[in-house]
Amino acid sequence: MRIVVLAGGIGGARFLRGLKQAAPDAEITVVGNTGDDIHLFGLKVCPDLDTVMYTLGGGINEEQGWGRLDESFTVKEELAAYGVGPEWFGLGDRDFATHIVRTQMLGAGFPLSAVTEALCARWQPGVRLLPMSDDRVETHVAIEVDGEQKAVHFQEYWVKLRASVDAKAVVPVGAEAAKPAPGVLDAIAEADVVLFPPSNPVVSVGTILAVPGIREAIVAAAASGTPVVGLSPIVGDAPVRGMADKVLAAVGVESTATAVALHYGSELLGGWLVDTVDAGAVTDVEAAGIRCRAVPLMMTDVEATAAMAREALALAEELR
Ligand code: GDP
Ligand code: CA
């Protein structure tokens, strides 16, 4: 079975760990969000790709959900001693090595997809991890501070400001001119199932879908009978973690499992899983032409996550 998963960081990575357990023989291709990418200290940092790679490769800091296990912060302290920031982005010493290797390879002319493959040769994530694009896409968030309108990098909004001010708009800068990375469209066309994990619908899955060709490829696959199934990142009318409600509001979508399903729409989604606490959403989602089931959706451990993945695959089977 060939499965394609569109993934952001933590939510996507944890779901993938469960999916690997639920479908050990499946060939899994992950299309990763690169809209969160940022240049820091002269280095190219790809937080979502790295979170997937470290999580599946056994190198993640479990409690945090991002960054390396057993990490130290000497380089960060030394940079701070020079007065060089930003101090709000936590790059540890082990993590720095990843960004050095990536930046060096990019400088030598390799595309991000080839660099990601090279990094994965060490981590052996057990999936094929593709960036959504080799082209630069950077998510910016429009905010208002003291009556002044400005746009900040997504990381500044999320990590520095902790989404403490309202997002007026979310713009994946560069997306309209980006091309899907090599292998992305073929993987979608050849997929037996396409899954949207519990990732941020705006700044993770939404950014991936904003790369011209990707949404169209999924719509075409769905139209030709490939089941496309999503799992709600919203449980009980709130994000499980993070601040997805802020960016959903910016695109005019309520933070409910139903609203997120309708936001994706029946053109993309054939099936949608909501948590059991949102069982009341099933009728509304089905009325929109999306098959819906209420099942436990909390990724408390790998077992629970594998059970979610099995439910998603069972719903896909029903749709086939
Ligand atoms: P990020 O890039 O690290 O922000 O991670 P993602 O883009 O993958 O998005 C995280 C999303 O997953 C958030 O909207 C969370 O609400 C959601 N999420 C996190 N943990 C869980 C969980 O256990 N269950 C469900 N249903 N959603 C979750
Ligand atoms: Ca992210």
Side-chain angles (χ1 to χ4, degrees), residues 8-9 33 36 48 154 203-204:
N33 172 42
D36 292 14
D48 284 358
F154 169 73
V203 294
S204 294

Side-chain angles (χ1 to χ4, degrees), residues 58-285:
I60 200 78
N61 176 327
E62 276 301 329
E63 295 88 80
Q64 224 170 228
W66 52 271
R68 290 288 312 277
L69 180 71
D70 199 14
E71 188 57 290
S72 55
F73 290 87
T74 307
V75 175
K76 189 176 189 231
E77 284 158 24
E78 290 294 316
L79 286 163
Y82 284 110
V84 174
E87 73 299 327
W88 49 265
F89 204 89
L91 290 184
D93 299 331
R94 293 182 190 280
D95 202 15
F96 258 111
T98 302
H99 313 314
I100 291 169
V101 174
R102 172 182 293 124
T103 308
Q104 178 168 287
M105 286 189 71
L106 288 170
F110 291 96
L112 183 61
S113 48
V115 176
T116 304
E117 192 180 341
L119 294 171
C120 285
R122 171 185 174 191
W123 290 103
Q124 297 291 315
V127 299
R128 185 161 64 125
L129 177 60
L130 303 175
M132 64 189 199
S133 177
D134 280 334
D135 301 319
R136 184 166 168 174
V137 178
E138 226 172 64
T139 302
H140 287 198
V141 180
I143 57 172
E144 192 179 303
V145 181
D146 303 327
E148 190 199 337
Q149 307 276 343
K150 61 175 189 169
V152 293
H153 190 289
F154 169 73
Q155 297 297 354
E156 187 173 343
Y157 180 71
W158 207 252
V159 181
K160 185 182 180 194
L161 300 173
R162 309 297 313 162
S164 55
V165 293
D166 286 346
K168 308 274 179 200
V170 178
V171 184
V173 179
E176 67 293 336
K179 291 177 298 298
V184 169
L185 298 184
D186 287 344
I188 294 168
E190 291 161 9
D192 297 308
V193 181
V194 176
L195 298 178
F196 294 3
S199 273
N200 191 301
V202 181
V203 294
S204 294
V205 179
T207 311
I208 300 168
L209 293 171
V211 176
I214 296 186
R215 171 189 289 275
E216 293 78 359
I218 297 173
V219 169
S224 69
T226 305
V228 179
V229 173
L231 297 93
S232 179
I234 302 293
V235 172
D237 300 343
V240 176
R241 54 178 286 159
M243 302 149 280
D245 47 334
K246 293 282 187 168
V247 287
L248 279 165
V251 297
V253 178
E254 268 181 55
S255 285
T256 65
T258 306
V260 174
L262 302 193
H263 173 63
Y264 285 134
S266 60
E267 207 189 17
L268 275 174
L269 281 185
W272 184 243
L273 294 179
V274 300
D275 189 82
T276 44
V277 304
D278 296 313
V282 172
T283 322
D284 290 346
V285 174

